[in-house]
Amino acid sequence: MEKTISAQMFDKAQKFIPGGVNSPVRACKSVGCDPVFIASANGSTIVDVDGNKYLDFVCSWGPMIMGHAHPQIIKAVQDTAVGGTSFGASTPLEIDLAAMVCEAVPSIEKVRFVNSGTEATMSAIRLARGYTGKNVVVKFDGCYHGHADSFLVKAGSGVITLGIPGSPGVPEDIVKNTLSIPYNNIEELEKTLCDETLDIACVILEPVAGNMGCVEPSKEFLQTLRKLTQERGIVLIFDEVITGFRLSYGGAQEYFGINPDLTCLGKIIGGGLPVGAYGGKTEIMNQIAPDGPVYQAGTLSGNPLAMAAGIATLKLLQAQDFYKDLNDKSAWFAAQLQEVAEASGVSVQLNRVGSLLTPFFAIEPVIDFTSAMKSDTDRYARHWRAMLEMGVYLAPSQFEVAFISGVHTEEELKTVVQKTELSFKKLAGN
Ligand code: HOZ
């Protein structure tokens, strides 16, 4: 049989790019498939190089909340590009986006733009360490904060997907200052944060975990976390790279009504172009160079194309009832999927918060890394392949989320429910 164009491209890519991909999860290894190569996308649909169309639930891992190639976002990028694409100097657009972010996100008074979520989290912990004069970073098992050295301890996303325990190349001396404790576990949290022998600078978490699949924190867990960090002068960092402008216009902190000291952003604020940001209280942010001694810089930081795409996206998200409609639609979709799972007899835990969704092929509720790891990844892989075959592109790993966008229509979601039913029936049969 002749190879598909995607297969030919994957062969070629592997000659020049490690694993044929520029980010491990997209190699689709854990779902037992080779990747499809994308030629173009529009709205809720992506098209591969062989001309196959898929309803897309990866949405570039979050940024495409208004769908692909939204005309207003594309126009903003085109209009900006004709005036030059990068200057390594300040532009008016970065002030506009910074003002929008500060107005939207409850705890952000000042914000610094960088180029990726990894850069944002890496810079935020440096700032927290510089501000407190302490060294230890507390994170949670299964949370993923990008690939900076300090975070590659019991991390989620590709690290779980590929079953990598940590990473060679990360010196012991660095990770000895990272403590990873279980998500949603108040007892462990209290024990760690109240330990006077630990030199804790900050606690960082995904306020809804999205990189071990979707896991919601209990309200009590978040409240205890805020209370203890406040009492002990520990900087609380919310990594809202996924949840920012996703759960609500003000992100997870607005959704849960809990304000961190620092917030990391990415994805949606770049409208599909490479962006990250970290922001928070003025007193802490003023420690960053050139105002303060904590160094951080970047040639492409505040890049005009990314700023233009971000501004256009945020303007669209200000539409009346946007988040209510998106979250209601997602709740309806999740309920339908749950019904289909129950009717088919396949054990699925449907975790959803806002428009983030993961069907865990697990028997018991998934509340943390340990319970997520009990999922039947082989079943997820079979489900993923069946859905791809039927024209639905899901995250190629059990330990990621499906992103629902403002442009997925009810009709489209209904067809996905029907296709899911077919896939689950097949799974139940063997
Ligand atoms: N780390 C991303 C998922 N949580 C994957 C990024 C990509 O492969 O594009």
Side-chain angles (χ1 to χ4, degrees):
M1 203 174 69
E2 209 187 316
K3 281 192 167 181
T4 61
I5 302 174
S6 273
Q8 292 169 34
M9 286 194 167
F10 191 46
D11 287 345
K12 187 169 177 190
Q14 288 177 92
K15 288 197 186 117
F16 302 111
I17 302 172
V21 290
N22 284 308
S23 190
V25 178
R26 46 179 104 152
C28 299
K29 278 194 174 187
S30 78
V31 288
C33 221
D34 285 344
V36 289
F37 280 66
I38 306 305
S40 66
N42 199 277
S44 56
T45 304
I46 51 175
V47 185
D48 73 14
V49 287
D50 290 283
N52 300 306
K53 287 189 179 163
Y54 309 96
L55 198 55
D56 181 25
F57 288 92
V58 172
C59 293
S60 186
W61 302 100
M64 312 323 295
I65 190 165
M66 293 310 304
H68 293 279
H70 190 287
Q72 273 160 259
I73 302 171
I74 298 298
K75 182 168 185 318
V77 174
Q78 283 172 335
D79 289 353
T80 306
V82 292
T85 59
S86 178
F87 314 112
S90 298
T91 69
L93 290 172
E94 56 200 305
I95 316 173
D96 294 346
L97 187 57
M100 289 174 94
V101 168
C102 291
E103 271 159 32
V105 184
S107 70
I108 299 189
E109 292 168 359
K110 279 192 177 181
V111 63
R112 170 63 66 83
F113 290 112
V114 291
N115 297 293
S116 68
T118 291
E119 247 190 88
T121 52
M122 177 186 97
S123 309
I125 60 164
R126 180 181 303 149
L127 175 58
R129 283 169 161 161
Y131 176 71
T132 58
K134 298 185 173 174
N135 284 323
V136 170
V137 172
V138 176
K139 69 174 283 291
F140 295 91
D141 302 348
C143 281
Y144 179 75
H145 305 290
H147 60 87
D149 287 355
S150 299
F151 298 122
L152 292 180
V153 181
K154 294 195 184 163
S157 192
V159 185
I160 327 183
T161 301
L162 302 177
I164 301 169
S167 176
V170 175
E172 262 307 304
D173 261 4
I174 290 186
V175 288
K176 74 170 195 243
N177 285 314
T178 303
L179 280 180
S180 191
I181 61 175
Y183 200 74
N184 260 334
N185 186 324
I186 295 173
E187 213 177 299
E188 282 293 324
L189 182 67
E190 283 172 340
K191 204 167 91 195
T192 306
L193 298 195
C194 297
D195 184 340
E196 300 289 347
T197 65
L198 295 172
D199 184 37
I200 303 176
C202 59
V203 179
I204 184 165
L205 93 161
E206 293 180 82
V208 170
N211 285 289
M212 51 176 144
C214 177
V215 177
E216 183 167 12
S218 72
K219 193 123 202 182
E220 207 192 341
F221 173 70
L222 285 183
Q223 282 165 345
T224 310
L225 178 59
R226 181 60 284 189
K227 183 173 165 284
L228 289 178
T229 46
Q230 214 145 32
E231 283 169 4
R232 298 182 166 262
I234 296 168
V235 176
L236 176 60
I237 307 173
F238 274 10
D239 176 348
E240 295 226 42
V241 169
I242 288 179
T243 54
F245 294 91
R246 161 68 57 182
L247 297 188
S248 74
Y249 193 66
Q253 52 199 270
E254 181 180 72
Y255 187 85
F256 292 120
I258 292 187
N259 287 352
D261 302 306
L262 291 178
T263 301
C264 301
L265 295 167
K267 301 196 191 276
I268 289 176
I269 57 158
L273 274 82
V275 169
Y278 62 110
K281 290 182 177 159
T282 301
E283 184 198 333
I284 306 180
M285 293 304 286
N286 282 352
Q287 295 299 310
I288 304 169
D291 278 352
V294 178
Y295 197 71
Q296 178 270 310
T299 298
L300 286 163
S301 296
N303 174 265
L305 300 191
M307 298 293 105
I311 293 165
T313 302
L314 264 46
K315 281 187 182 159
L316 291 166
L317 297 177
Q318 290 169 354
Q320 175 108 30
D321 288 337
F322 174 82
Y323 288 96
K324 184 184 178 309
D325 293 347
L326 177 62
N327 293 346
D328 285 355
K329 177 170 75 177
S330 305
W332 171 85
F333 182 50
Q336 297 292 304
L337 294 176
Q338 185 73 66
E339 253 180 49
V340 160
E342 277 160 22
S344 68
V346 175
S347 299
V348 176
Q349 304 292 328
L350 247 152
N351 282 15
R352 179 197 68 88
V353 184
S355 51
L356 303 170
L357 179 86
T358 300
F360 285 101
F361 286 84
I363 293 164
E364 282 165 17
V366 175
I367 54 155
D368 57 12
F369 183 62
T370 308
S371 44
M373 290 302 282
K374 289 185 185 154
S375 307
D376 185 337
T377 51
D378 181 57
R379 271 200 160 176
Y380 183 84
R382 281 185 280 152
H383 174 58
W384 188 87
R385 295 195 298 266
M387 294 303 281
L388 188 78
E389 190 76 19
M390 292 185 277
V392 180
Y393 188 71
L394 300 174
S397 164
Q398 170 70 96
F399 306 113
E400 300 283 355
V401 290
F403 293 90
I404 298 154
S405 78
V407 300
H408 283 107
T409 65
E410 213 174 295
E411 276 317 300
E412 286 172 335
L413 296 180
K414 274 185 192 157
T415 65
V416 177
V417 173
Q418 285 160 2
K419 289 171 181 176
T420 303
E421 188 173 13
L422 292 176
S423 168
F424 284 180
K425 274 188 182 155
K426 246 200 258 167
L427 287 178
N430 50 52

